[in-house]
Amino acid sequence: LDAYYYPHRKSYMIPRSGGGWVDVNQTGLTLALKERGLRDKTGEPLSPIDLYTHELHTQYSVDYAGPLAGYRYGLYQENGHNILVTDELKLPEAVRGDCPIIEGLFERCFGEQLPYVMGWLKHAYLNLLPDKKAYQPAQLLALCGPPGAGKNLFQDIVTQILGGRMAKPYRYLSGSTSFNSDLTGAEHLQISDDVAKQDYVTRRKFGSALKDICVNSTQSIHPKNKNAINLALRWRITASLNDRDEDLRVLPPYESQLWEKIILIHFHHGGDLLPATEERESFWEKIKGEIPALCHHLLHYQIPEAIRNPRYGVDHYHNRELLVALDALSPEVRLHDLIQETLFDNSNTPYWNGTAT
């Protein structure tokens, strides 16, 4: 029986029909062993089942058991820990073909920004292929556009390209919680329609956590009421925002080192390419049918040499209009406006002396 002991839960991981492992208690393990012909009574002080259970405890224990972003089934050694991956990444197979619906949407929604998006998608897909040994970091792909433009649809397409698993990381990234074990089994971390805080402190926390996720493959995973463990994960993160001032304030304050890890895209409305409400289900099925062809296109897509980046695959990009709007919201600019209005606009004095306060 290809079983393991999981001390954190005081449970056992036994093979599951169809692949992977399932979490069971002592009774479940005993039933599985009996099904394979082992008996629990002999003339010896310990039965064969007792001996086998003891062997699991002492020789086949694991420090983490569960899904892991970017991994297939199996036992891994990561950072000095035994890791049992119980749910497999199911990456879509790349198949030669056409994807006219997706192609039309991408051209309409991204325009001249499309090479950056395609480059980001290409390396996101390559990073999950079975023969990809070394982790490649990637920027946050942030999409800002009008409501109902199709931003969430694009994020759903990203989820499909990356194997169909998605998690919501904003509470953790903004410091609202320190628990993040729900993120371990998702290749796509998606920020969208979150009730986000816009104060400066939260935005700084968001930026700091974002920098760590974008650059480092090894992350501290902290389940509730359990010790944290460092695991190597293959995440990609996207965010969709409405292009109003208050929504732009969700993004971190501008700092050159941080913003090298952000691709800021102005997302244009999909218009008549988007389906009516009653047609969304059938439209989505057509989109999913085009995913294998899109993956094949990504494999063979040539990123323009001018925007290639040896670390991330593709350079960062910041839409100028959005960057100007975001800069106008910065605390420095707002403070400057207040100083100007309060001290100088209604005064004939060309200078002023006083403390900063």
Side-chain angles (χ1 to χ4, degrees), residues 144-187:
C144 298
K151 301 184 296 293
N152 292 151
L153 173 62
F154 172 77
Q155 289 182 298
D156 290 341
I157 292 173
V158 172
T159 298
Q160 291 299 310
I161 293 171
L162 302 186
R165 303 192 292 190
M166 178 275 293
K168 298 277 193 174
Y170 183 75
R171 285 182 305 159
Y172 169 69
L173 295 180
S174 62
S176 296
T177 179
S178 62
F179 305 119
N180 61 351
S181 60
D182 58 315
L183 309 180
T184 57
E187 287 72 26

Side-chain angles (χ1 to χ4, degrees), residues 9-55:
R9 294 182 185 170
K10 294 183 173 58
S11 60
Y12 303 89
M13 310 303 298
I14 65 172
R16 177 175 55 201
S17 176
W21 284 261
V22 64
D23 190 330
V24 298
N25 58 17
Q26 173 78 47
T27 302
L29 176 66
T30 299
L31 290 174
L33 293 173
K34 286 183 176 180
E35 185 183 31
R36 284 157 179 78
L38 207 59
R39 295 291 173 258
D40 56 2
K41 289 186 179 180
T42 66
E44 301 299 322
L46 291 176
S47 71
I49 288 181
D50 291 334
L51 289 171
Y52 183 80
T53 303
H54 176 70
E55 186 178 0

Side-chain angles (χ1 to χ4, degrees), residues 293-331:
L294 175 59
C295 292
H296 184 272
H297 185 56
L298 291 173
L299 284 179
H300 296 86
Y301 179 75
Q302 295 296 317
I303 300 173
E305 189 172 351
I307 66 170
R308 292 178 188 173
N309 184 290
R311 187 180 192 189
Y312 300 107
V314 64
D315 263 336
H316 64 273
Y317 165 83
H318 305 140
N319 179 269
R320 180 171 295 276
E321 293 178 12
L322 293 172
L323 206 58
V324 169
L326 189 66
D327 185 58
L329 301 172
S330 70

